Amino acid sequence: MADYNFGAGPSVVPQEVLEVIKREIMNFNHTGLSILEISHRSLDFQALISEAKNDLRALMGIPADYEILFLQGGASTQFMMLPLNLAQNKTAYYAISGIFGKKAYEEAIKASQLENIDVVSIGSTAHHHYDRLLKIDLEKIDFQKAAYLHLTTNNTVEGTAIFPENLPESHEVPLIADMSSNIMAVDYDISKFGMVYAGAQKNLGIAGLTVVIIKKDLLSKDQVLPSMLDYQVLAEHQSMYNTPPTFAIYVAGLIFKWVKAQGGVKELERQNRKKAKLLYDYIDQSDFYDNPVYNINERSICNVIFRCPHQNLDVEFANEAEKRGLLSLKGHRSVGGLRASLYNAFPVEGVRKLIEFMKDFEEENK
Ligand code: PMP
């Protein structure tokens, strides 16, 4: 029986992509070398990285006036690079609807102690345990001083998401999104954002690569930052100021080809909606399981959170599920409960298997 990986990240990689990696690992592109060994300055790698960027641009409809950066350090490094690059002598605003949004804000506060940056939270739903999104009030923003408004499009831990139709319409201030857990899984219009960023280990492949998509007019030539933290320097060097994460970029390139073969981002979003609906519908009709998200239209389609009637049953559920090949269903360590991450590469059959198991578990434990 096949195992299904519900992990939140690192997470499932399409089987077809794993097969290509296996086939190519000993000899990349007839070079006689493994992709693990080739120089990032070689023509083969140069071709690979530019193809990956072009494919990403085409798949996400990234306009020509946006730069694509392939960086390291995870989304967490962006929490501090963002204010250092964009908010000097300005105010950075944060809408906080989850623990990662809070981390982004807290890291910006630290950055503000190094430079002349003001950091302001326009509100948080922490008092509701992040069971809902913050209602963003643009009146709280001083547009004269604002560098940007930061939000998280998908709250990986809490299972909520801001879908494209619910994004704030703010033309006066650039929107910046941490899209780590729903980039390429939901079809966002990139031109609505000043910058988006994401760690690759959910929908774009494996850990080690961080993608930053930034409007070119936000890159600054005036300020002095250490080179590895400076978007302008990294852009000038086409993401190769230093040695980039070559293998993770190679895998992302394969993922982009896979997404294209599936029919593109819109089609994957359609499939993701279908997978999530199956599971939410099952949870909703059950009086054993419960999804804690307060507003139904804010439910994430990438991370479905649910709970059994008692905490000790959640632990038992996850352990029993593992025995049936349903892996990594434990909720984030900070909140407990259960979480099924249904990213692009997660197959619908896995959702059906999970529902079968949920029925059995409910039967045995109610
Ligand atoms: N933001 C979100 C929404 C995330 O889900 C995560 C990781 N789970 C992070 C940021 C942190 O990403 P990284 O581990 O790549 O630093």
Side-chain angles (χ1 to χ4, degrees):
M1 186 181 66
D3 284 351
Y4 292 103
N5 178 7
F6 291 90
S11 49
V12 56
V13 173
Q15 196 62 34
E16 299 93 314
V17 168
L18 292 175
E19 294 292 342
V20 177
I21 296 170
K22 187 171 148 198
R23 209 167 53 233
E24 293 187 344
I25 194 83
M26 299 305 282
N27 188 357
F28 171 67
N29 223 8
H30 310 291
T31 53
L33 296 173
S34 167
I35 180 66
L36 299 171
E37 330 176 89
I38 67 168
S39 165
H40 58 295
R41 304 282 174 209
S42 66
L43 287 179
D44 285 287
F45 191 78
Q46 304 271 342
L48 183 157
I49 194 169
S50 54
E51 194 170 329
K53 281 187 190 173
N54 291 341
D55 285 348
L56 177 63
R57 196 177 285 283
L59 283 168
M60 290 185 64
I62 300 169
D65 58 339
Y66 283 67
E67 195 74 54
I68 297 172
L69 304 176
F70 285 163
L71 308 179
Q72 303 191 51
S76 303
T77 299
Q78 295 313 309
F79 293 166
M80 77 50 197
M81 278 175 75
L82 167 65
L84 288 176
N85 279 271
L86 267 58
Q88 305 236 7
N89 306 314
K90 293 186 182 156
T91 306
Y93 290 92
Y94 285 77
I96 304 171
S97 299
I99 66 157
F100 282 111
K102 178 158 177 270
K103 280 192 179 168
Y105 168 70
E106 287 169 348
E107 292 299 296
I109 298 267
K110 288 186 196 162
S112 75
Q113 285 158 16
L114 307 172
E115 299 285 349
N116 183 24
I117 298 169
D118 249 347
V119 177
V120 172
S121 158
I122 61 162
S124 156
T125 54
H127 55 294
H128 289 297
H129 306 287
Y130 302 122
D131 71 352
R132 67 199 74 184
L133 298 173
L134 181 76
K135 295 223 173 334
I136 293 173
D137 177 4
L138 294 173
E139 301 270 301
K140 292 194 172 154
I141 295 175
D142 178 344
F143 295 118
Q144 300 296 319
K145 295 186 182 157
Y148 59 79
L149 169 61
H150 180 278
L151 47 80
T152 313
T153 51
N154 189 83
N155 295 293
T156 325
V157 174
E158 299 84 1
T160 56
I162 312 182
F163 291 99
E165 62 277 16
N166 300 325
L167 284 169
E169 283 286 340
S170 165
H171 306 292
E172 286 94 338
V173 58
L175 273 187
I176 309 282
D178 175 356
M179 245 184 223
S180 290
S181 45
N182 71 351
I183 191 166
M184 265 200 194
V186 172
D187 187 27
Y188 289 99
D189 175 355
I190 293 299
S191 72
K192 299 254 192 259
F193 299 90
M195 178 179 125
V196 308
Y197 63 94
Q201 65 272 21
K202 302 171 199 300
N203 279 306
L204 308 179
I206 60 167
L209 168 67
T210 312
V211 172
V212 170
I213 302 164
I214 181 167
K215 199 159 187 206
K216 286 181 183 164
D217 65 10
L218 292 176
L219 296 169
S220 164
K221 290 193 171 50
D222 306 333
Q223 65 203 17
V224 180
L225 283 172
S227 302
M228 283 299 289
L229 300 184
D230 189 332
Y231 292 140
Q232 172 65 27
V233 171
L234 297 162
E236 276 167 10
H237 289 80
Q238 283 85 43
S239 306
M240 290 209 266
Y241 174 80
N242 75 328
T243 315
T246 48
F247 186 65
I249 293 172
Y250 161 75
V251 176
L254 295 179
I255 294 281
F256 301 155
K257 302 245 177 283
W258 178 85
V259 170
K260 208 163 151 186
Q262 304 308 300
V265 180
K266 266 198 179 59
E267 170 57 21
L268 284 173
E269 177 177 340
R270 193 190 64 76
Q271 292 177 22
N272 292 336
R273 284 187 183 277
K274 182 176 150 197
K275 289 182 284 183
K277 184 173 181 323
L278 274 176
L279 190 48
Y280 283 123
D281 282 353
Y282 181 72
I283 295 168
D284 288 345
Q285 62 74 48
S286 152
D287 24 304
F288 185 82
Y289 301 103
D290 159 56
N291 167 259
V293 175
Y294 187 76
N295 296 310
I296 284 182
N297 67 349
E298 294 178 352
R299 283 173 164 180
S300 167
I301 58 170
C302 290
N303 308 98
V304 178
I305 310 294
F306 58 101
R307 302 179 294 212
C308 298
H310 306 290
Q311 256 176 24
N312 53 345
L313 279 177
D314 290 336
V315 177
E316 200 181 318
F317 181 101
N319 293 338
E320 287 300 312
E322 296 257 329
K323 291 184 195 155
R324 290 239 210 142
L326 305 168
L327 312 179
S328 299
L329 280 159
K330 269 199 191 95
H332 189 266
R333 61 191 184 284
S334 64
V335 293
L338 296 154
R339 169 174 56 178
S341 296
L342 309 177
Y343 299 129
N344 285 345
F346 192 90
V348 66
E349 304 82 65
V351 181
R352 296 210 173 92
K353 286 271 179 237
L354 173 61
I355 292 171
E356 267 171 39
F357 172 72
M358 289 169 83
K359 279 183 194 154
D360 294 349
F361 189 83
E362 174 173 350
E363 209 43 53
E364 283 158 26
N365 291 283
K366 72 180 174 200

